[in-house]
Amino acid sequence: MTLLSAHNVFKTYRLGRVDVPVLRGATLRVQRSEFVAVLGSSGSGKSTLLHLLGGLDRPDKGSGVEGGSGGAVVYNGKPLSELGASGLDAYRSREVGFVFQFYHLLPELTVLQNVASGAMIRHGLVGYRVNKPKVEAWARELLASFGLGHRLRHRPAELSGGERQRVAIARALVNDPPVLLADEPTGNLDRKTGASILDALLEHRRATGRTMVLVTHDAEVAARADRIVRLDDGLVVTGP
Amino acid sequence: MYQALLIFKYLTSKVMPLLAAAAVMLCTAMVLIVWSVMGGFLVMLLGSGRTLMGDVSITWPVIGFGHYGELIDRLEADPMVAAATPIVETIGSLSLPDGRISMVLVNGIDGPGYARVTGYEDSLWWKPLAAPLPKDKDRRDWRLEDPDGDAGFWKRAYQDGLALSKQDEATGVSRPAAVLGIELSSFNRRDPGGWYQPLHWDVRAEDGSIRLETGPTFILKRTVTLNVIPLTRQGRSVNSVARVLPVANEFKSGVFDIDAKKMFIPLATLQEMLKMDQAGRVAPPIDPYELEIGEDGEETFIEAEPTAIAPARVTSVLVRAKDGVSPEALKDQVRAVYVAFERDHKGQVPHADRGGIHIQTWREAQGVMVAAVEKETLLVLFILWFISLVASVLILAIFWAMISEKTKDIGILRSMGASKGGIAGLWLIYGLVIGLIGSALGLGVAHAIVWNINPIHEWMGRALNVQIWNPEIYYFTLIPSRVRPDHAAIVFAAGVGFSVLGALIPAVRAANMDPVRSLRFE
Ligand SMILES: Nc1ncnc2c1ncn2[C@@H]1O[C@H](COP(=O)(O)OP(=O)(O)OP(=O)(O)O)[C@@H](O)[C@H]1O
Ligand SMILES: [Mg+2]
């Protein structure tokens, strides 16, 4: 059953007067509990596609020279374009979790606060007060499962790259989203650390059956997914 | 929730918000200081007029007018009038004990009556003081204790001042005495804390301790010589008249110009000196050498018969309104009373129409000065709004920079589901908190500076040789040093308001940032 899909999406950036078409009718279907790797060279539009899937950006409207009706991203049978601003915020908060190549932790917050911040945004001021013990216990558990149980009060700047990425993954999972979107999570790490991060992700997935979309330019990383698609010339092509 | 946490973290880990709060602090402090001093100046100016003039004055300068006793009775019978009192005002020259000669404004007053109309009683300086002035931490004010171990000295000085008389120590007879403006003689030194020290002797006792004694330079133990020039009813001068007067007390109105130039003596004394007292008018005999031979053959010169009594004259009658009666309303009433009075004394007193008697409220008497200060205050308030705007722009610039620095954080928060409103709220609350902190600090700083503005000014004069507040220009010896709570509240609210206003545009910008671009931001 398809949980998250992009249908015939277009994305063109405009640099001054020059149009830079990045996605030209890309289509990708992700089944529930599936782990899909999107493989593509640098600049092929992997991040762009992931941002569209995560509701962080919208595909071009009606840009269908080829596509006709224009593209749509559909989650659980419902197009994101129908969600409205607050619906999209809720979608990003509850349904998907982002992991970025450069970790993107908040430098002023401790490890624990960084992980809990997703829950703070989700619950609001009053709700977070009520849920705080539950959320913090869950955040500790997540961090412990990624081997960071003893670094709760540290700042991101005091951690290694691999440790930071584990914190970022824990943060993405704090609201228990059905979908995890990872943008080259190992791209900034050495091979060995990257492999251990990947191990941790796979281990987590085995335990929870979470749906995962991972984009990478590294075929070796992609090889560990259930299914690999390629992003080529703005289109998603299946097969190795 | 994340807003509260992030604001707290940003506040405690960054220099920028401290700079922003400091900017708010400086602006609010500056506004409040200027406002307090200017506003205080106006209040003092208005108050001083009333202290020395009462609410309304009826004046016919130089020559004066008679029948004032009856006018005062008529005025005091009016329900709007609390009290009325006569004064004679003239100029004279005063020889001080150190040989200096000063031009002075001499007021002949009836002490107790004058005190009922004006703030004369409170303005008398030398009197027993139960508690030191607020800034006199070391109890250096002489009035706290009777000088030279002379019990009751200040009390007597106070009563003498009120009565404008002084007992001659040798004869025990009461003599008319003078009350001088406290800046008139150079026998006192003004302390920036607001009190005066007479020149004194440090007397070393046998046990080596130092005792302060007033010594011979103490003005209350000296006499002064006053010279005035009487004028005839036609305004021609007669030979000048001099009088030696003991000094009963000194007064301080707070208005430098007055304290340095004015003196009081008893009304009767000044009337006598100026020949404004009651006098018989005589018809000179036709032949001054004509003799009358009596029945016993005795020859006598023919005496001139008094043909009329010229009443005593004063130059002004001052009137004080009952509580709740405005000076303007009183002025109209006083004019009505005067019209009736003048009708009964046709030709004997100045007429009541235009060009006749001057009837003025104290505000009108000081009209030019008050108008100038009111205008100036308005101008300053306008400038203050401008300063507030500058503070806003400062906050805007600082927030703009902070938001640029925090662009990536904004993208991260948006990717985690933070709404636009949430991001805008984060920065607005941040602006509010900075405004609150900065304004609170600004209020504290302003209060500390205004409260100590006179010592600070004194110190600037001494250490840096800068004197901004020249009492001869600014009218008052002390710089106003009170912060009005309502002004403080307004400045606080404005400080907070302008901080939020300054944060508004950057907050909207932050909210409208494209999350994807923010994440790509390096
Ligand atoms: N905001 C933007 N404005 C203009 N061009 C953009 C913008 N964002 C992305 N692009 C361009 O779109 C193309 C795809 O970018 P994207 O980040 O999706 O590539 P990517 O496959 O993730 O690359 P990498 O592997 O280097 O991360 C690039 O050529 C990039 O320069
Ligand atoms: Mg990318």
Side-chain angles (χ1 to χ4, degrees):
Chain A
M1 181 209 154
T2 305
L3 179 62
L4 178 62
S5 53
H7 297 275
N8 194 24
V9 290
F10 285 79
K11 190 74 188 174
T12 301
Y13 292 110
R14 172 157 278 186
L15 283 172
R17 301 196 166 188
V18 188
D19 283 347
V20 183
V22 178
L23 299 179
R24 320 180 191 209
T27 299
L28 173 67
R29 288 193 181 78
V30 183
Q31 308 299 319
R32 191 180 287 281
S33 289
E34 193 183 17
F35 178 8
V36 181
V38 180
L39 191 59
S41 54
S42 184
S44 59
K46 304 182 296 289
S47 297
T48 304
L49 179 61
L50 209 64
H51 292 152
L52 294 183
L53 290 174
L56 209 54
D57 207 351
R58 290 171 191 271
D60 294 343
K61 270 190 214 122
S63 59
V65 186
E66 299 127 277
S69 66
V73 176
V74 180
Y75 176 74
N76 238 346
K78 193 167 184 194
L80 295 189
S81 55
E82 288 175 11
L83 283 179
S86 65
L88 261 185
D89 292 334
Y91 171 72
R92 285 199 300 270
S93 175
R94 292 163 196 208
E95 311 299 337
V96 296
F98 274 103
V99 177
F100 302 99
Q101 180 176 358
F102 297 105
Y103 332 124
H104 287 345
L105 299 174
L106 296 171
E108 280 86 6
L109 304 189
T110 64
V111 164
L112 185 63
Q113 285 166 337
N114 258 296
V115 174
S117 61
M120 293 180 192
I121 290 171
R122 175 178 177 168
H123 294 296
L125 184 58
V126 182
Y128 186 73
R129 289 265 148 141
V130 177
N131 288 303
K132 191 175 177 190
K134 221 166 70 192
V135 169
E136 286 201 348
W138 168 232
R140 278 167 208 276
E141 197 186 314
L142 271 173
L143 282 165
S145 76
F146 288 111
L148 286 165
H150 57 296
R151 311 294 300 265
L152 302 181
R153 311 238 158 265
H154 288 232
R155 299 281 155 120
E158 296 158 359
L159 303 181
S160 74
E163 286 164 337
R164 286 184 214 186
Q165 195 58 296
R166 287 162 196 266
V167 175
I169 294 169
R171 179 180 64 184
L173 296 173
V174 74
N175 286 334
D176 200 13
V179 181
L180 187 70
L181 302 173
D183 189 351
E184 307 213 34
T186 62
N188 204 36
L189 302 168
D190 61 62
R191 207 147 265 288
K192 197 165 152 244
T193 317
S196 79
I197 292 282
L198 219 52
D199 289 341
L201 271 177
L202 282 166
E203 168 59 29
H204 173 79
R205 174 162 177 275
R206 209 169 43 75
T208 59
R210 207 176 299 275
T211 310
M212 273 167 45
V213 180
L214 182 148
V215 306
T216 179
H217 64 269
D218 188 336
E220 219 174 288
V221 172
R224 302 189 65 173
D226 299 349
R227 181 157 72 94
I228 301 175
V229 295
R230 279 175 192 285
L231 197 52
D232 207 359
D233 203 15
L235 289 167
V236 176
V237 286
T238 323
Chain B
M1 182 63 206
Y2 68 98
Q3 287 106 329
L5 180 66
L6 279 174
I7 286 167
F8 178 72
K9 293 285 178 177
Y10 288 175
L11 274 176
T12 49
S13 63
K14 297 258 172 249
V15 185
M16 281 288 208
L18 295 182
L19 290 179
V24 175
M25 180 190 86
L26 289 177
C27 284
T28 48
M30 174 160 65
V31 168
L32 193 55
I33 290 168
V34 173
W35 200 1
S36 295
V37 172
M38 288 295 297
F41 183 53
L42 187 60
V43 167
M44 264 161 62
L45 191 67
L46 295 177
S48 71
R50 203 162 180 217
T51 307
L52 291 156
M53 285 186 42
D55 292 303
V56 171
S57 62
I58 307 169
T59 305
W60 189 243
V62 188
I63 308 301
F65 56 95
H67 306 294
Y68 58 86
E70 189 195 324
L71 177 61
I72 287 170
D73 289 343
R74 287 181 187 225
L75 285 167
E76 289 193 335
D78 192 279
M80 283 173 125
V81 174
T85 192
I87 69 168
V88 171
E89 194 162 38
T90 188
I91 49 170
S93 71
L94 186 73
S95 308
L96 289 156
D98 57 355
R100 219 157 45 87
I101 296 177
S102 274
M103 288 304 290
V104 285
L105 212 62
V106 192
N107 274 16
I109 57 168
D110 156 35
Y114 188 65
R116 277 190 287 130
V117 174
T118 64
Y120 178 62
E121 202 169 339
D122 289 335
S123 76
L124 284 172
W125 184 259
W126 301 111
K127 59 192 163 198
L129 208 61
L133 297 181
K135 283 170 199 164
D136 185 9
K137 302 254 166 11
D138 305 328
R139 297 181 65 91
R140 302 219 318 275
D141 198 323
W142 278 69
R143 298 171 298 168
L144 290 165
E145 261 171 61
D146 279 313
D148 314 332
D150 184 354
F153 183 87
W154 292 137
K155 187 152 189 272
R156 267 179 281 130
Y158 178 62
Q159 285 161 349
D160 289 349
L162 209 51
L164 295 139
S165 73
K166 194 157 184 175
Q167 229 177 28
D168 191 305
E169 280 178 25
T171 61
V173 178
S174 276
R175 289 206 288 153
V179 172
L180 310 182
I182 190 118
E183 303 272 354
L184 188 49
S185 80
S186 43
F187 284 48
N188 302 304
R189 202 177 56 76
R190 186 186 341 123
D191 189 284
W195 61 90
Y196 288 82
Q197 307 244 50
L199 294 181
H200 53 267
W201 284 358
D202 298 354
V203 181
R204 189 176 292 274
E206 276 158 27
D207 62 355
S209 65
I210 305 265
R211 193 157 43 83
L212 301 184
E213 264 187 22
T214 54
T217 47
F218 190 35
I219 192 83
L220 296 199
K221 296 189 170 168
R222 304 300 295 257
T223 58
V224 291
T225 306
L226 175 66
N227 267 279
V228 294
I229 300 170
L231 295 178
T232 65
R233 264 158 222 263
Q234 287 72 38
R236 257 176 264 127
S237 66
V238 186
N239 286 342
S240 77
V241 177
R243 190 59 111 37
V244 176
L245 295 157
V247 177
N249 207 326
E250 290 177 293
F251 75 91
K252 183 196 172 206
S253 66
V255 180
F256 182 83
D257 228 34
I258 291 173
D259 292 344
K261 293 211 171 79
K262 200 170 204 163
M263 65 178 289
F264 295 109
I265 67 171
L267 177 66
T269 310
L270 190 56
Q271 280 176 322
E272 191 191 317
M273 290 170 78
L274 291 174
K275 314 227 183 306
M276 290 172 85
D277 51 347
Q278 181 172 306
R281 186 178 288 171
V282 294
I286 290 125
D287 179 356
Y289 304 109
E290 195 181 305
L291 296 174
E292 196 169 72
I293 301 157
E295 281 159 22
D296 52 356
E298 189 80 17
E299 293 177 355
T300 51
F301 287 105
I302 290 176
E303 289 274 335
E305 289 290 321
T307 55
I309 301 293
R313 287 168 292 144
V314 294
T315 55
S316 287
V317 168
L318 307 182
V319 190
R320 180 199 182 97
K322 282 232 172 79
D323 285 346
V325 177
S326 76
E328 286 70 28
L330 180 72
K331 177 186 161 187
D332 294 341
Q333 189 64 16
V334 164
R335 184 169 286 284
V337 171
Y338 189 86
V339 166
F341 167 75
E342 191 250 352
R343 205 182 302 123
D344 296 342
H345 293 278
K346 263 276 173 286
Q348 297 169 325
V349 295
H351 55 89
D353 321 332
R354 278 182 73 85
I357 197 94
H358 306 315
I359 300 181
Q360 287 183 308
T361 64
W362 52 271
R363 204 186 261 271
E364 287 166 345
Q366 286 182 302
V368 179
M369 186 82 177
V370 170
V373 175
E374 271 172 353
K375 281 231 169 60
E376 209 171 320
T377 307
L378 225 88
L379 187 76
V380 167
L381 274 176
F382 175 76
I383 294 170
L384 297 191
W385 277 105
F386 210 75
I387 293 174
S388 308
L389 227 68
V390 171
S392 251
V393 173
L394 252 162
I395 295 278
L396 191 147
I398 290 173
F399 268 59
W400 195 272
M402 283 202 293
I403 282 170
S404 300
E405 193 198 349
K406 286 287 166 208
T407 299
K408 186 164 267 170
D409 287 22
I410 292 165
I412 296 167
L413 290 168
R414 291 302 306 277
S415 80
M416 289 194 291
S419 65
K420 286 186 174 193
I423 298 292
L426 167 68
W427 294 99
L428 281 180
I429 297 169
Y430 198 12
L432 178 76
V433 170
I434 284 176
L436 285 171
I437 294 173
S439 298
L441 289 176
L443 245 59
V445 167
H447 195 269
I449 289 182
V450 171
W451 180 243
N452 292 307
I453 194 153
N454 285 299
I456 291 171
H457 183 249
E458 168 86 353
W459 173 84
M460 274 167 60
R462 245 186 304 114
L464 313 173
N465 213 4
V466 190
Q467 195 191 24
I468 300 165
W469 187 276
N470 182 348
E472 280 155 46
I473 294 168
Y474 285 102
Y475 216 59
F476 296 103
T477 45
L478 288 178
I479 307 171
S481 60
R482 215 175 75 82
V483 178
R484 274 176 54 175
D486 54 338
H487 289 178
I490 290 170
V491 170
F492 183 83
V496 175
F498 277 94
S499 300
V500 174
L501 196 72
L504 188 65
I505 294 172
V508 169
R509 177 174 94 115
N512 285 319
M513 276 179 176
D514 176 7
V516 175
R517 274 166 185 266
S518 308
L519 284 171
R520 286 174 160 269
F521 182 84
E522 291 303 326

